[in-house]
Structures are given as structure tokens and as C-alpha cells.
Amino acid sequence: MCDCFEKVEANLQEKTGDPSASLNYMYEMPSFKKKPVIEATYRNKKKDGTFNKTESTISIAYPFCPFCGKKLSEGE
Ligand SMILES: [Zn+2]
């Protein structure tokens, strides 16, 4: 796996001045490995077919690094 995420996070922390600034992650089960995710927003559909006004978020993991294009899983 590449080190783009560490570099981007370091850059983010420098830019924002916040040492805990980070990209969005979720934990892969059962290894608890950090997986970078894209956050998407959607609205829940109600029983009558209309949508809720409030938006919900869902996290989607991706298999390739968006910065350099390398596969994120190990051993490939
Ligand atoms: Zn990368």
C-alpha cells in the first residue's frame, strides 16, 4: 500500500493547523484496519414514497488509491 494518505493527512494538518485533521475512515472487520472512504449523502424514502428532508450519510470504501491509482489491499 502507498503512503499517499499519510502525506495528504500531514498536508491537511499543516493547512488547517489542526493536528487531528484527518480523512474519512471506516474500520474493516474483523481486522480493524483503517479503510479510506468517500462519504455520500442520501435521503431516506418514507412509506408514502416521499423523501425525508434531512439527509443521511453513507460511507463507501474504494479499492484504489485516489491519489496515485495503486490498489489499496495488501499483497497485490
Ligand atoms: Zn497512493
Side-chain angles (χ1 to χ4, degrees):
M1 188 174 160
C2 61
D3 61 356
C4 294
F5 291 96
E6 284 82 357
K7 282 182 190 162
V8 171
E9 274 192 345
N11 198 296
L12 194 68
Q13 289 162 5
E14 201 183 297
K15 271 192 182 157
T16 60
D18 180 0
S20 63
S22 76
L23 297 166
N24 290 333
Y25 287 106
M26 67 181 213
Y27 289 95
E28 190 177 49
M29 296 299 158
S31 62
F32 289 96
K33 241 189 256 169
K34 269 177 160 188
K35 272 189 109 173
V37 294
I38 289 170
E39 206 158 78
T41 56
Y42 70 99
R43 296 170 303 160
N44 272 317
K45 209 173 199 176
K46 293 189 280 193
K47 276 180 189 158
D48 63 5
T50 61
F51 291 100
N52 272 327
K53 277 183 185 163
T54 51
E55 287 183 332
S56 304
T57 60
I58 188 167
S59 293
I60 303 167
Y62 39 88
F64 294 94
C65 175
F67 303 109
C68 72
K70 274 187 191 154
K71 204 164 191 213
L72 293 173
S73 57
E74 317 239 327
E76 301 267 336

